[in-house]
Amino acid sequence: MIRSKLLLSTVAAFAAMAVTAVAQERVVNIYNWSDYIDESVLEEFTKKTGIKVVYDVFDSNEILETKLLAGSTGYDIVVPTGTFLARQIQAGVFQELDKEKLPNLENMDPAIQQRLEKYDPGNNHAINYMWGTTGIGINVDKVKERLGDDAELNSWALALDPDVVSKLEDCGVYFLNTPEEVIPAALNYLGLDPDSTDENDLAKAEEHLLKIRPHIRKFHSSEYINALANGDICLAVGWSGDILQARDRAAEADAGVTVEYIIPKEGALMWFDNMAIPADAQNVEEAHEFLNYIMTPEAIAKASNYVYYANGNAASKPLLNEDVIGDPAIYPDEETVQRLYTTSPKGQREQRALTRVWTKVTTGQ
Amino acid sequence: MKAVARRLVILIPYLWLLVFFLLPFLIVFRISLSEPAIAMPPYLPVFDLEEGWRAIFDKLSQLTWGNFEFLLEDSLYINAYLSSLRIALLATFLTLLVGFPLAYGMARAPQGLRPVLLMLVILPFWTSFLIRVYAWIGILKPEGLLNQFLLALGLIDRPLAILNTETAIFIGIVYSYLPFMVLPIYANLEKLDYSLIEAALDLGCTAFGAFWKVTAQLALPGVLAGCLLVFIPAMGEFVIPDLLGGTRTLMIGKTLWTEFFNNRDWPVAAAVATLLLLVLVVPIVLFQNAQARAQRAAQ
């Protein structure tokens, strides 16, 4: 491609200048999800190794992927979710990890590593950072006010049964704005394979979601944290850690809002966010040092204690706060884990079908 | 020598157009003729000068019009264009409704006051566009400033749902693009010779008649320029509908985003962008013709 060659040579020229400027200063450029780390973890890394961390954030896999596919991002470590990671590996975005430089790999949880192999065979390109589930967050009092005190609060029916959700409409229902998370939930609720790409199955999910749609105030992937915490809404279909953050903010504000996270009894999507090094990274050595550091039990435990997500590091478990390791919403018990499902990366056609269903659901077109 | 210099001066705007409009457009257009692929960049074929011109010519045959045909097959895209067109037209009209009296008032204000008024129109630009749109979320949300104000006045007894509706999009567009409407109209009205109106009134025209036949006619180029400056960005607007309008409103900017980011189908996204450009070029050409005609008439 003509354009990128041109761009590349300009970038190279600038990089050459930059290298002479920072020859004495080692840097690692990290691109992670917003609100996804305890900043002191980064400071400690710099203190220990002398490597400066340039930290930048995104809030959707799509943005990250588009940047990666365009190339020359300038990032040394990025954090895609499993399904995206798989496709990006296929597109040649990432380099293989040099496992010799990652002795702390022995701390990782074999069960999580094994689940990750679905996306990254041999665990050659990425290490797990955090994992979580996609479930339901509710404003307990407002929901009980509308559904009755003895209402069943452990089922997808809360969000996906038109009769139930219509009763919550007036106080506000938010859904994640990602087909990859909500459509599997609908398929699962209908008793179909959540990973299905079959046309008939998708049509059924679409038909069902269209029944829910009039009762949904907004499809958005980050606003629900504040909305739940402030008591602006009753229910959000969202990511576990985000809803738990909302729960904590609500508790801190002490304004009478109680938020609870639910992994529904029908099961929920389990996802993995992973750190990987782009093939065109400039500071490969430093990136490995950071990955090795983030796999130390102390560092990753600190991050989990801060963001309320489970990590893939078995050795960190003794260092986790009780409200993290002891919370079944973060570290679900074995029986709940059995009910969690994962999805596979989608091909171009399947992705388009999924997105088309989603456009229909969100806009009615 | 002079002639050469004059040509060189003319060359600059053409060069500008070539480098910042035509070349990027050709790149987008070329991507719109490719096929998506799981690769970096995510489409095929990729032209590489190092492979030599022959290889590039061979690859030309791989280009296809398929993406444009696809846009016509699914009613989603046509509906998105129409919906954007409707919103952009209505928003432009509303902006004119607010902007014209504002510009008129400014032009008729005492000479000494005008720079201050002009400053007040431009001042909001000193804050980031994104922050100003975000501020509207705080104003319009159910427990926001506007609803609290109306509740306190007793005008309503339950908060109005404005945020996440089309009304909020119109508020956002009118607010954001108001200066683009006010400034060209003001520039025209300020030059206006008010003795013409006095003459019209003296000759028995009603006040409204004088306004319509003199002021409005002379302000027309400014109105047209203002309308285009609002209509064109409103048509492809993405940020305002995304933040204020929620997910329900279909607009072409959002459709483009979905193709590019969610489907990672750069070729179809490029085709959508190409068509959008064509839709926008038509009113610009019409405007140019009207301008040229007005200039000829003035001579």
Side-chain angles (χ1 to χ4, degrees):
Chain A
M1 199 174 64
I2 301 164
R3 189 180 47 145
S4 67
K5 286 275 141 122
L6 243 175
L7 199 70
L8 211 63
S9 52
T10 339
V11 170
F14 275 110
M17 282 190 276
V19 165
T20 45
V22 294
Q24 59 280 62
E25 191 179 39
R26 299 175 72 203
V27 186
V28 61
N29 299 290
I30 301 175
Y31 197 39
N32 196 356
W33 292 79
S34 53
D35 282 328
Y36 213 27
I37 201 156
D38 183 342
E39 301 264 336
S40 69
V41 172
L42 305 176
E43 284 157 22
E44 268 163 38
F45 173 70
T46 305
K47 218 183 285 170
K48 246 182 206 156
T49 60
I51 299 172
K52 192 180 147 202
V53 178
V54 180
Y55 196 77
D56 205 356
V57 297
F58 57 90
D59 79 340
S60 87
N61 267 309
E62 286 80 9
I63 304 234
L64 169 64
E65 177 157 279
T66 305
K67 284 198 180 189
L68 287 172
L69 292 177
S72 314
T73 54
Y75 296 117
D76 304 312
I77 293 176
V78 295
V79 192
T81 305
T83 44
F84 287 81
L85 173 76
R87 193 169 37 233
Q88 287 153 10
I89 290 173
Q90 203 184 335
V93 168
F94 297 117
Q95 53 181 278
E96 284 202 13
L97 299 176
D98 184 347
K99 291 184 181 172
E100 305 252 302
K101 292 178 186 151
L102 302 171
N104 286 335
L105 269 174
E106 63 178 29
N107 294 336
M108 299 306 280
D109 186 340
I112 300 290
Q113 292 289 87
Q114 197 197 334
R115 289 210 183 217
L116 253 189
E117 290 219 29
K118 181 172 184 177
Y119 309 110
D120 175 20
N123 296 120
N124 286 331
H125 297 85
I127 61 154
N128 179 250
Y129 176 57
M130 299 279 167
W131 61 271
T133 50
T134 303
I136 304 172
I138 55 167
N139 181 326
V140 182
D141 303 327
K142 282 193 178 178
V143 168
K144 282 190 175 162
E145 195 181 297
R146 283 164 180 80
L147 300 181
D149 279 337
D150 47 358
E152 200 188 27
L153 297 182
N154 64 348
S155 161
W156 272 111
L158 276 175
L160 293 174
D161 181 340
D163 292 333
V164 178
V165 77
S166 63
K167 291 183 189 134
L168 303 175
E169 180 186 352
D170 70 302
C171 73
V173 174
Y174 272 38
F175 268 52
L176 283 175
N177 189 16
T178 50
E180 291 87 354
E181 317 254 351
V182 181
I183 292 173
L187 287 167
N188 182 53
Y189 179 68
L190 294 172
L192 302 164
D193 173 13
D195 202 16
S196 173
T197 49
D198 179 73
E199 248 176 67
N200 297 324
D201 289 355
L202 285 182
K204 281 181 203 155
E206 175 183 307
E207 194 194 328
H208 186 79
L209 285 169
L210 280 173
K211 282 188 227 155
I212 314 286
R213 170 180 177 263
H215 311 300
I216 297 172
R217 189 180 290 170
K218 192 161 191 178
F219 295 91
H220 200 284
S221 300
S222 53
E223 275 177 18
Y224 64 92
I225 306 180
N226 275 328
L228 264 182
N230 297 343
D232 294 348
I233 58 172
C234 254
L235 182 145
V237 172
W239 292 306
S240 47
D242 282 2
I243 291 167
L244 294 167
Q245 276 182 43
R247 181 190 70 184
D248 275 44
R249 280 189 213 174
E252 269 166 39
D254 200 17
V257 177
T258 318
V259 175
E260 195 180 302
Y261 177 69
I262 298 160
I263 300 179
K265 62 177 186 200
E266 295 89 349
L269 179 73
M270 186 185 194
W271 46 259
F272 306 88
D273 286 342
N274 318 287
M275 293 190 160
I277 307 177
D280 55 8
Q282 296 286 320
N283 309 298
V284 179
E285 190 63 38
E286 288 79 0
H288 277 91
E289 275 189 51
F290 185 85
L291 290 186
N292 197 45
Y293 169 76
I294 204 72
M295 286 188 289
T296 56
E298 295 77 20
I300 194 69
K302 203 167 192 184
S304 272
N305 285 335
Y306 186 84
V307 299
Y308 289 99
Y309 279 106
N311 63 57
N313 193 308
S316 77
K317 284 187 179 173
L319 301 172
L320 293 173
N321 290 345
E322 186 48 36
D323 68 339
V324 173
I325 188 79
D327 190 338
I330 303 176
Y331 280 96
D333 54 45
E334 201 40 49
E335 193 215 328
T336 313
V337 170
Q338 292 305 318
R339 282 183 279 127
L340 300 178
Y341 53 82
T342 54
T343 55
S344 343
K346 305 280 186 291
Q348 188 70 33
R349 262 173 186 285
E350 289 129 22
Q351 182 65 38
R352 175 167 287 287
L354 212 61
T355 319
R356 188 64 187 87
V357 167
W358 193 243
T359 307
K360 182 118 188 188
V361 170
T362 52
T363 66
Q365 297 283 342
Chain B
M1 197 56 216
K2 229 181 191 171
V4 174
R6 200 178 298 157
R7 276 197 193 147
L8 275 178
V9 171
I10 299 173
L11 203 64
I12 294 170
Y14 278 104
L15 216 65
W16 177 274
L17 267 180
L18 184 79
V19 174
F20 294 108
F21 175 74
L22 202 61
L23 277 181
F25 172 71
L26 284 177
I27 292 170
V28 169
F29 183 61
R30 177 210 136 346
I31 296 176
S32 77
L33 301 177
S34 336
E35 303 263 9
I38 296 184
M40 290 172 69
Y43 55 83
L44 284 172
V46 171
F47 295 142
D48 193 337
L49 269 186
E50 280 168 17
E51 291 171 20
W53 288 104
R54 176 168 290 277
I56 290 180
F57 276 120
D58 287 344
K59 280 182 181 171
L60 277 180
S61 61
Q62 292 175 27
L63 296 177
T64 147
W65 290 101
N67 298 313
F68 288 93
E69 285 162 18
F70 173 75
L71 293 190
L72 297 177
E73 278 165 20
D74 191 335
S75 62
L76 169 72
Y77 302 95
I78 293 173
N79 287 338
Y81 280 112
L82 291 177
S83 167
S84 284
L85 191 66
R86 181 179 60 79
I87 289 175
L89 282 174
L90 195 55
T92 308
F93 177 70
L94 291 173
T95 315
L96 179 64
L97 228 51
V98 180
F100 193 92
L102 215 70
Y104 188 75
M106 282 166 60
R108 298 300 296 265
Q111 194 95 48
L113 202 59
R114 284 185 211 167
V116 180
L117 293 174
L118 204 59
M119 197 66 209
L120 287 177
V121 170
I122 299 169
L123 209 60
F125 274 105
W126 292 10
T127 318
S128 149
F129 166 72
L130 205 57
I131 291 175
R132 283 181 285 131
V133 176
Y134 255 107
W136 275 104
I137 296 181
I139 297 173
L140 297 177
K141 67 179 184 178
E143 53 291 324
L145 292 175
L146 180 66
N147 272 315
Q148 277 177 4
F149 179 68
L150 292 176
L151 283 170
L153 283 182
L155 286 173
I156 51 174
D157 38 68
R158 53 183 302 168
L160 297 173
I162 307 173
L163 193 63
N164 300 335
T165 65
E166 225 168 67
T167 316
I169 299 182
F170 287 121
I171 294 175
I173 294 181
V174 170
Y175 165 76
S176 303
Y177 294 122
L178 195 60
F180 295 111
M181 183 65 89
V182 171
L183 295 178
I185 299 179
Y186 169 76
N188 256 278
L189 286 177
E190 205 208 6
K191 290 184 303 198
L192 198 141
D193 181 356
Y194 284 96
S195 57
L196 289 173
I197 295 174
E198 283 165 25
L201 291 172
D202 285 349
L203 292 170
C205 204
T206 59
F208 179 77
F211 169 80
W212 185 248
K213 287 193 171 131
V214 181
T215 316
Q217 300 301 318
L218 287 174
L220 198 61
V223 170
L224 275 177
C227 285
L228 272 181
L229 283 177
V230 175
F231 175 78
I232 291 170
M235 183 81 191
E237 186 56 60
F238 168 72
V239 173
I240 297 172
D242 190 52
L243 289 179
L244 301 180
T247 357
R248 253 150 247 243
T249 315
L250 189 65
M251 281 189 83
I252 201 66
K254 180 75 193 167
T255 311
L256 212 152
W257 169 280
T258 311
E259 287 302 337
F260 195 71
F261 289 96
N262 295 78
N263 286 342
R264 79 196 71 74
D265 192 334
W266 291 20
V268 166
V272 172
T274 306
L275 275 188
L276 177 64
L277 190 81
L278 290 180
V279 173
L280 288 179
V281 159
V282 176
I284 298 171
V285 170
L286 287 178
F287 175 68
Q288 282 291 349
N289 280 342
Q291 284 281 55
R293 226 180 300 132
Q295 257 171 13
R296 269 198 304 276
Q299 285 158 7

